[in-house]
């Protein structure tokens, strides 16, 4: 997968890896993430980082396997402080994290079914940018949209 460095629009190689137990302590009180990620230990938490700098966590995503409904639920997705807003260092972080969660659905046999509980101010963003649909109080991606997310952010990574 690739992220886009905003200063020169160059695509750089990135990867996602599951956090290990000892990494949670390093995130607590971190100025890069204004959230206590140890609260997400009930989920699988994955970090996104550049291959050229494996120590800098650019974003985190917490996902829950929900076999009863045959889906992956995205509990929380966040970019580091330096990668939020108009002046962010890298783009495509959230897209790659969402697409990664979708890719897990194929591994688990859920065929692209992913859900999340959006903040109200992000509903339009999830619809327009990522193709999610409203489904009650949640938003979902499935079928063709999920395939498109994986293709766009994990495989071909066309520029937006």
């Amino acid at each position: 997968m690739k992220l886009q460095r905003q200063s020169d629009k160059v695509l750089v190689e990135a990867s996602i890896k599951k956090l290990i137990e000892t990494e949670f302590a390093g995130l607590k009180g971190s100025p890069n993430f204004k959230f206590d990620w140890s609260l997400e230990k009930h989920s699988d938490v994955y970090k996104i980082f550049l291959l050229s700098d494996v120590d800098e966590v650019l974003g985190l995503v917490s996902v829950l396997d929900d076999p009863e409904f045959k889906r992956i639920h995205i509990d929380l997705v966040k970019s580091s402080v330096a990668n939020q807003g108009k002046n962010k260092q890298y783009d495509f972080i959230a897209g790659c994290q969402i697409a990664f969660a979708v890719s897990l659905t194929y591994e688990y046999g859920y065929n692209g079914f992913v859900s999340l509980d959006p903040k109200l101010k992000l509903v339009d963003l999830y619809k327009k940018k990522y193709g999610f649909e409203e489904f009650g109080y949640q938003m979902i991606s499935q079928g063709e949209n999920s395939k498109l997310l994986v293709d766009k952010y994990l495989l071909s990574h066309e520029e937006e």
Side-chain angles (χ1 to χ4, degrees), residues 7-34:
S7 61
D8 57 9
K9 305 299 185 199
V10 169
L11 295 175
V12 293
E13 292 290 332
S15 187
I16 292 181
K17 185 176 178 182
K18 189 174 179 180
L19 282 185
I20 58 173
E21 182 70 28
T22 56
E23 290 177 300
F24 283 97
L27 292 171
K28 192 170 185 172
S30 167
N32 294 327
F33 294 95
K34 297 180 181 193

mmCIF file of all heavy atoms in Angstrom, residues 7-34:
data_model
loop_
_atom_site.group_PDB
_atom_site.id
_atom_site.type_symbol
_atom_site.label_atom_id
_atom_site.label_comp_id
_atom_site.label_asym_id
_atom_site.label_seq_id
_atom_site.Cartn_x
_atom_site.Cartn_y
_atom_site.Cartn_z
ATOM 1 N N SER A 7 3.903 17.084 0.858
ATOM 2 C CA SER A 7 4.840 18.137 0.468
ATOM 3 C C SER A 7 5.209 18.082 -1.013
ATOM 4 O O SER A 7 5.408 19.116 -1.646
ATOM 5 C CB SER A 7 6.107 18.068 1.323
ATOM 6 O OG SER A 7 6.769 16.828 1.139
ATOM 7 N N ASP A 8 5.288 16.866 -1.584
ATOM 8 C CA ASP A 8 5.673 16.743 -2.989
ATOM 9 C C ASP A 8 4.774 15.786 -3.786
ATOM 10 O O ASP A 8 5.057 15.500 -4.943
ATOM 11 C CB ASP A 8 7.132 16.306 -3.100
ATOM 12 C CG ASP A 8 7.417 14.995 -2.371
ATOM 13 O OD1 ASP A 8 6.465 14.321 -1.921
ATOM 14 O OD2 ASP A 8 8.608 14.646 -2.244
ATOM 15 N N LYS A 9 3.719 15.288 -3.150
ATOM 16 C CA LYS A 9 2.734 14.381 -3.778
ATOM 17 C C LYS A 9 3.321 13.045 -4.224
ATOM 18 O O LYS A 9 2.744 12.335 -5.043
ATOM 19 C CB LYS A 9 2.022 15.056 -4.962
ATOM 20 C CG LYS A 9 1.351 16.366 -4.621
ATOM 21 C CD LYS A 9 0.279 16.196 -3.576
ATOM 22 C CE LYS A 9 -0.449 17.509 -3.339
ATOM 23 N NZ LYS A 9 -1.154 17.548 -2.089
ATOM 24 N N VAL A 10 4.471 12.669 -3.663
ATOM 25 C CA VAL A 10 5.105 11.391 -3.981
ATOM 26 C C VAL A 10 4.429 10.278 -3.173
ATOM 27 O O VAL A 10 4.117 10.451 -1.991
ATOM 28 C CB VAL A 10 6.626 11.446 -3.670
ATOM 29 C CG1 VAL A 10 7.267 10.070 -3.726
ATOM 30 C CG2 VAL A 10 7.316 12.401 -4.625
ATOM 31 N N LEU A 11 4.205 9.141 -3.831
ATOM 32 C CA LEU A 11 3.645 7.978 -3.154
ATOM 33 C C LEU A 11 4.773 7.201 -2.488
ATOM 34 O O LEU A 11 5.805 6.930 -3.126
ATOM 35 C CB LEU A 11 2.898 7.083 -4.142
ATOM 36 C CG LEU A 11 1.651 7.703 -4.778
ATOM 37 C CD1 LEU A 11 1.072 6.762 -5.829
ATOM 38 C CD2 LEU A 11 0.612 8.044 -3.732
ATOM 39 N N VAL A 12 4.583 6.863 -1.208
ATOM 40 C CA VAL A 12 5.601 6.141 -0.457
ATOM 41 C C VAL A 12 5.011 4.848 0.099
ATOM 42 O O VAL A 12 3.830 4.791 0.447
ATOM 43 C CB VAL A 12 6.204 7.007 0.674
ATOM 44 C CG1 VAL A 12 7.002 8.162 0.093
ATOM 45 C CG2 VAL A 12 5.142 7.534 1.603
ATOM 46 N N GLU A 13 5.843 3.833 0.177
ATOM 47 C CA GLU A 13 5.402 2.508 0.629
ATOM 48 C C GLU A 13 5.093 2.510 2.125
ATOM 49 O O GLU A 13 5.868 3.031 2.926
ATOM 50 C CB GLU A 13 6.457 1.457 0.341
ATOM 51 C CG GLU A 13 6.671 1.165 -1.124
ATOM 52 C CD GLU A 13 5.514 0.432 -1.778
ATOM 53 O OE1 GLU A 13 4.796 -0.316 -1.079
ATOM 54 O OE2 GLU A 13 5.335 0.609 -2.987
ATOM 55 N N ALA A 14 3.975 1.887 2.473
ATOM 56 C CA ALA A 14 3.548 1.771 3.861
ATOM 57 C C ALA A 14 3.077 0.344 4.122
ATOM 58 O O ALA A 14 2.881 -0.436 3.187
ATOM 59 C CB ALA A 14 2.434 2.762 4.157
ATOM 60 N N SER A 15 2.896 0.040 5.385
ATOM 61 C CA SER A 15 2.422 -1.280 5.768
ATOM 62 C C SER A 15 1.558 -1.162 7.023
ATOM 63 O O SER A 15 1.610 -0.146 7.727
ATOM 64 C CB SER A 15 3.597 -2.212 6.033
ATOM 65 O OG SER A 15 3.139 -3.535 6.249
ATOM 66 N N ILE A 16 0.796 -2.198 7.281
ATOM 67 C CA ILE A 16 -0.046 -2.266 8.477
ATOM 68 C C ILE A 16 0.307 -3.544 9.220
ATOM 69 O O ILE A 16 0.467 -4.605 8.601
ATOM 70 C CB ILE A 16 -1.545 -2.236 8.121
ATOM 71 C CG1 ILE A 16 -1.911 -0.861 7.564
ATOM 72 C CG2 ILE A 16 -2.405 -2.571 9.333
ATOM 73 C CD1 ILE A 16 -3.374 -0.698 7.196
ATOM 74 N N LYS A 17 0.423 -3.408 10.532
ATOM 75 C CA LYS A 17 0.798 -4.544 11.368
ATOM 76 C C LYS A 17 0.036 -4.458 12.689
ATOM 77 O O LYS A 17 -0.191 -3.369 13.218
ATOM 78 C CB LYS A 17 2.304 -4.492 11.622
ATOM 79 C CG LYS A 17 2.874 -5.651 12.367
ATOM 80 C CD LYS A 17 4.393 -5.508 12.466
ATOM 81 C CE LYS A 17 4.975 -6.650 13.258
ATOM 82 N NZ LYS A 17 6.419 -6.506 13.413
ATOM 83 N N LYS A 18 -0.314 -5.612 13.226
ATOM 84 C CA LYS A 18 -1.034 -5.664 14.503
ATOM 85 C C LYS A 18 -0.124 -5.205 15.639
ATOM 86 O O LYS A 18 1.049 -5.567 15.699
ATOM 87 C CB LYS A 18 -1.515 -7.088 14.768
ATOM 88 C CG LYS A 18 -2.452 -7.206 15.938
ATOM 89 C CD LYS A 18 -3.000 -8.624 16.033
ATOM 90 C CE LYS A 18 -3.919 -8.764 17.215
ATOM 91 N NZ LYS A 18 -4.435 -10.130 17.311
ATOM 92 N N LEU A 19 -0.684 -4.383 16.532
ATOM 93 C CA LEU A 19 0.069 -3.946 17.711
ATOM 94 C C LEU A 19 0.327 -5.135 18.623
ATOM 95 O O LEU A 19 -0.537 -6.000 18.785
ATOM 96 C CB LEU A 19 -0.717 -2.911 18.519
ATOM 97 C CG LEU A 19 -0.767 -1.478 18.040
ATOM 98 C CD1 LEU A 19 -1.505 -0.622 19.075
ATOM 99 C CD2 LEU A 19 0.596 -0.904 17.783
ATOM 100 N N ILE A 20 1.503 -5.153 19.223
ATOM 101 C CA ILE A 20 1.775 -6.147 20.244
ATOM 102 C C ILE A 20 1.534 -5.498 21.606
ATOM 103 O O ILE A 20 1.504 -4.272 21.735
ATOM 104 C CB ILE A 20 3.207 -6.723 20.122
ATOM 105 C CG1 ILE A 20 4.247 -5.617 20.228
ATOM 106 C CG2 ILE A 20 3.354 -7.515 18.834
ATOM 107 C CD1 ILE A 20 5.672 -6.122 20.276
ATOM 108 N N GLU A 21 1.359 -6.310 22.612
ATOM 109 C CA GLU A 21 0.974 -5.853 23.957
ATOM 110 C C GLU A 21 1.835 -4.694 24.461
ATOM 111 O O GLU A 21 1.322 -3.714 24.988
ATOM 112 C CB GLU A 21 1.039 -7.025 24.932
ATOM 113 C CG GLU A 21 0.633 -6.705 26.348
ATOM 114 C CD GLU A 21 -0.852 -6.417 26.519
ATOM 115 O OE1 GLU A 21 -1.658 -6.938 25.735
ATOM 116 O OE2 GLU A 21 -1.197 -5.667 27.443
ATOM 117 N N THR A 22 3.126 -4.779 24.283
ATOM 118 C CA THR A 22 4.026 -3.756 24.833
ATOM 119 C C THR A 22 3.892 -2.401 24.132
ATOM 120 O O THR A 22 4.260 -1.381 24.701
ATOM 121 C CB THR A 22 5.491 -4.217 24.753
ATOM 122 O OG1 THR A 22 5.805 -4.531 23.388
ATOM 123 C CG2 THR A 22 5.721 -5.442 25.630
ATOM 124 N N GLU A 23 3.348 -2.380 22.922
ATOM 125 C CA GLU A 23 3.217 -1.113 22.187
ATOM 126 C C GLU A 23 2.087 -0.232 22.728
ATOM 127 O O GLU A 23 2.110 0.979 22.531
ATOM 128 C CB GLU A 23 3.008 -1.390 20.702
ATOM 129 C CG GLU A 23 4.258 -1.945 20.043
ATOM 130 C CD GLU A 23 4.040 -2.294 18.595
ATOM 131 O OE1 GLU A 23 3.175 -3.151 18.307
ATOM 132 O OE2 GLU A 23 4.736 -1.716 17.743
ATOM 133 N N PHE A 24 1.126 -0.816 23.400
ATOM 134 C CA PHE A 24 0.033 -0.016 23.957
ATOM 135 C C PHE A 24 0.541 0.994 24.980
ATOM 136 O O PHE A 24 0.087 2.131 25.026
ATOM 137 C CB PHE A 24 -1.041 -0.908 24.594
ATOM 138 C CG PHE A 24 -1.941 -1.570 23.596
ATOM 139 C CD1 PHE A 24 -1.699 -2.873 23.179
ATOM 140 C CD2 PHE A 24 -3.032 -0.894 23.068
ATOM 141 C CE1 PHE A 24 -2.522 -3.487 22.261
ATOM 142 C CE2 PHE A 24 -3.864 -1.505 22.150
ATOM 143 C CZ PHE A 24 -3.611 -2.803 21.740
ATOM 144 N N ALA A 25 1.489 0.579 25.795
ATOM 145 C CA ALA A 25 2.021 1.465 26.835
ATOM 146 C C ALA A 25 2.668 2.701 26.222
ATOM 147 O O ALA A 25 2.535 3.809 26.754
ATOM 148 C CB ALA A 25 3.024 0.716 27.703
ATOM 149 N N GLY A 26 3.345 2.538 25.106
ATOM 150 C CA GLY A 26 3.993 3.665 24.446
ATOM 151 C C GLY A 26 3.024 4.664 23.846
ATOM 152 O O GLY A 26 3.376 5.814 23.590
ATOM 153 N N LEU A 27 1.789 4.250 23.628
ATOM 154 C CA LEU A 27 0.785 5.149 23.054
ATOM 155 C C LEU A 27 0.045 5.959 24.117
ATOM 156 O O LEU A 27 -0.498 7.014 23.821
ATOM 157 C CB LEU A 27 -0.240 4.341 22.247
ATOM 158 C CG LEU A 27 0.285 3.686 20.983
ATOM 159 C CD1 LEU A 27 -0.760 2.749 20.405
ATOM 160 C CD2 LEU A 27 0.703 4.731 19.965
ATOM 161 N N LYS A 28 0.046 5.456 25.346
ATOM 162 C CA LYS A 28 -0.688 6.139 26.412
ATOM 163 C C LYS A 28 -0.050 7.499 26.687
ATOM 164 O O LYS A 28 1.142 7.603 26.957
ATOM 165 C CB LYS A 28 -0.700 5.297 27.686
ATOM 166 C CG LYS A 28 -1.670 5.819 28.715
ATOM 167 C CD LYS A 28 -1.857 4.857 29.853
ATOM 168 C CE LYS A 28 -2.940 5.390 30.770
ATOM 169 N NZ LYS A 28 -3.307 4.453 31.783
ATOM 170 N N GLY A 29 -0.835 8.540 26.579
ATOM 171 C CA GLY A 29 -0.344 9.890 26.809
ATOM 172 C C GLY A 29 0.485 10.442 25.662
ATOM 173 O O GLY A 29 1.070 11.516 25.775
ATOM 174 N N SER A 30 0.533 9.732 24.541
ATOM 175 C CA SER A 30 1.310 10.180 23.393
ATOM 176 C C SER A 30 0.701 11.452 22.796
ATOM 177 O O SER A 30 -0.509 11.519 22.589
ATOM 178 C CB SER A 30 1.337 9.089 22.323
ATOM 179 O OG SER A 30 1.823 9.598 21.094
ATOM 180 N N PRO A 31 1.534 12.453 22.491
ATOM 181 C CA PRO A 31 1.007 13.661 21.845
ATOM 182 C C PRO A 31 0.551 13.385 20.410
ATOM 183 O O PRO A 31 -0.171 14.189 19.833
ATOM 184 C CB PRO A 31 2.191 14.630 21.878
ATOM 185 C CG PRO A 31 3.400 13.763 21.995
ATOM 186 C CD PRO A 31 2.969 12.530 22.740
ATOM 187 N N ASN A 32 0.944 12.242 19.852
ATOM 188 C CA ASN A 32 0.539 11.888 18.487
ATOM 189 C C ASN A 32 -0.895 11.377 18.403
ATOM 190 O O ASN A 32 -1.508 11.423 17.343
ATOM 191 C CB ASN A 32 1.484 10.839 17.909
ATOM 192 C CG ASN A 32 2.876 11.375 17.724
ATOM 193 O OD1 ASN A 32 3.072 12.552 17.440
ATOM 194 N ND2 ASN A 32 3.859 10.520 17.912
ATOM 195 N N PHE A 33 -1.408 10.858 19.513
ATOM 196 C CA PHE A 33 -2.761 10.307 19.546
ATOM 197 C C PHE A 33 -3.436 10.759 20.830
ATOM 198 O O PHE A 33 -2.995 10.407 21.915
ATOM 199 C CB PHE A 33 -2.737 8.774 19.481
ATOM 200 C CG PHE A 33 -2.214 8.264 18.169
ATOM 201 C CD1 PHE A 33 -0.875 7.922 18.031
ATOM 202 C CD2 PHE A 33 -3.038 8.161 17.075
ATOM 203 C CE1 PHE A 33 -0.374 7.473 16.827
ATOM 204 C CE2 PHE A 33 -2.550 7.715 15.858
ATOM 205 C CZ PHE A 33 -1.212 7.372 15.740
ATOM 206 N N LYS A 34 -4.488 11.514 20.693
ATOM 207 C CA LYS A 34 -5.175 12.051 21.870
ATOM 208 C C LYS A 34 -6.272 11.086 22.324
ATOM 209 O O LYS A 34 -7.439 11.441 22.397
ATOM 210 C CB LYS A 34 -5.738 13.432 21.566
ATOM 211 C CG LYS A 34 -4.643 14.408 21.247
ATOM 212 C CD LYS A 34 -5.141 15.775 20.933
ATOM 213 C CE LYS A 34 -3.920 16.623 20.609
ATOM 214 N NZ LYS A 34 -4.168 18.007 20.561
#
